[in-house]
Amino acid sequence: MTRTPWPASSPLLALDIGGTSLRAALVDGRRVIERRQTATPRPAAPDAVLDIVLELARPLAAQARAVGVACAGAVAGGRVTATAAHTFPGWVDIPLAETLGAGLGLPAAALNDARAAAWGEYVAGAGKGTTEFMFVTVSTGVGAGLVLGGRLHLAANGLDAELGFVQVPAVWGEGDPTPLGCLGPLEFETSGTALGAQAAALGLADARALCDAAETGHEAAGAAYDHSAALLAWKCADVAALLGVTRVALGGSVGLRPGYLARVRAALTCFPVRYQPELVHAALGADAGLIGAALWASREA
């Protein structure tokens, strides 16, 4: 049976596949009007995750004209390969958009979750009014998305803006020896996970406790917090120098803290003024990826 097309004013279905939770939402314009959520299964094997996502989304799909999917990992051509195989075992070249679109009877488009959030913030949030914009989430890991010349940057191999995996000096984590010293991925030094490991070494409960302690004067916690912020500022300056990005929006559980934003801004002043993009908080909060995925699906449909 051929599905009757919905009018362009109909809601869009957005799905968010993350390591902690699976979310489905109806998005009307730039607002989430209905949502459903459940925990990501363990292990998060492809068939198990996609079956749960379809079950979660079907009650909402009848009202939608298209579905947009935001998913962790390298996403290219609607297919996803995990970049964190320990979180998503077996996710290699999975036909994400095709599988979910067929299962829901809707046109489907898929993006990496940070890229989806970047598009949502650019169209409807902190990126409005710019043409070169970057969204960065500092949370469990470090992810990013780039808008260049008013277009979302999407590389053919899915590595569109892997800011968390650029190399920096390894201070807290183990790094690989190079002619420049030991280097490791940015997120191993900067992310909430990295801060959590540093918190444990200081006898603090978790990353949040470390951030709280740093903001109330704890010297060792402050050093770890400042180190994370300084590395992120360095990479924001690099991106500004390379690509002309003029505004960066920070999201994620660490990135949305006012104290963290203040520290990144302060560290950024160490670089030449022309390489200091405007730093702001993301405006759409936890819904940035859902809204971005829906807006992307509308564009592609």
Side-chain angles (χ1 to χ4, degrees):
M1 182 177 72
T2 302
R3 182 186 175 106
T4 302
W6 284 90
S9 59
S10 300
L12 293 145
L13 176 60
L15 308 175
D16 187 353
I17 300 174
T20 302
S21 64
L22 306 174
R23 299 189 294 160
L26 278 177
V27 178
D28 183 10
R30 299 171 185 182
R31 297 182 303 113
V32 173
I33 58 174
E34 188 173 350
R35 69 178 77 227
R36 305 182 77 210
Q37 179 171 327
T38 192
T40 303
R42 292 286 183 269
D47 288 347
V49 170
L50 295 179
D51 285 348
I52 293 172
V53 169
L54 286 170
E55 181 180 352
L56 196 68
R58 282 191 180 109
L60 305 178
Q63 304 173 61
R65 70 180 190 270
V67 56
V69 188
C71 184
V75 181
R79 307 176 77 89
V80 61
T81 295
T83 51
H86 60 285
T87 303
F88 289 98
W91 286 70
V92 179
D93 199 32
I94 302 299
L96 187 65
E98 179 183 344
T99 300
L100 293 176
L104 296 169
L106 293 170
L111 289 172
N112 165 273
D113 52 0
R115 266 60 103 192
W119 187 245
E121 288 288 343
Y122 173 72
V123 175
K128 290 192 296 185
T130 67
T131 55
E132 277 68 41
F133 168 73
M134 182 167 68
F135 166 81
V136 180
T137 177
V138 184
S139 188
T140 303
V142 175
L146 282 166
V147 175
L148 302 174
R151 301 177 65 180
L152 184 64
H153 174 59
L154 297 174
N157 65 357
L159 301 177
D160 317 301
E162 291 291 352
L163 192 71
F165 291 95
V166 300
Q167 298 296 297
V168 296
V171 174
W172 302 108
E174 292 185 8
D176 296 322
T178 76
L180 299 175
C182 288
L183 301 178
L186 175 69
E187 73 171 35
F188 286 18
E189 299 289 321
T190 301
S191 66
T193 302
L195 290 173
Q198 295 161 46
L202 295 173
L204 299 169
D206 52 23
R208 177 179 292 182
L210 182 145
C211 297
D212 289 343
E215 291 170 7
T216 54
H218 188 296
E219 186 174 346
Y225 203 33
D226 288 346
H227 179 71
S228 171
L231 287 179
L232 187 63
W234 173 20
K235 294 308 164 183
C236 288
D238 282 353
V239 170
L242 286 167
L243 300 172
V245 165
T246 58
R247 187 179 301 160
V248 175
L250 300 187
S253 57
V254 176
L256 286 173
R257 294 182 68 105
Y260 191 76
L261 177 65
R263 282 166 168 76
V264 180
R265 283 175 170 167
L268 195 62
T269 63
C270 297
F271 298 92
V273 172
R274 66 184 303 179
Y275 306 137
Q276 295 179 27
E278 179 187 8
L279 285 172
V280 299
H281 272 147
L284 302 180
D287 286 338
L290 288 170
I291 293 171
L295 291 168
W296 190 256
S298 175
R299 179 185 180 279
E300 293 298 286

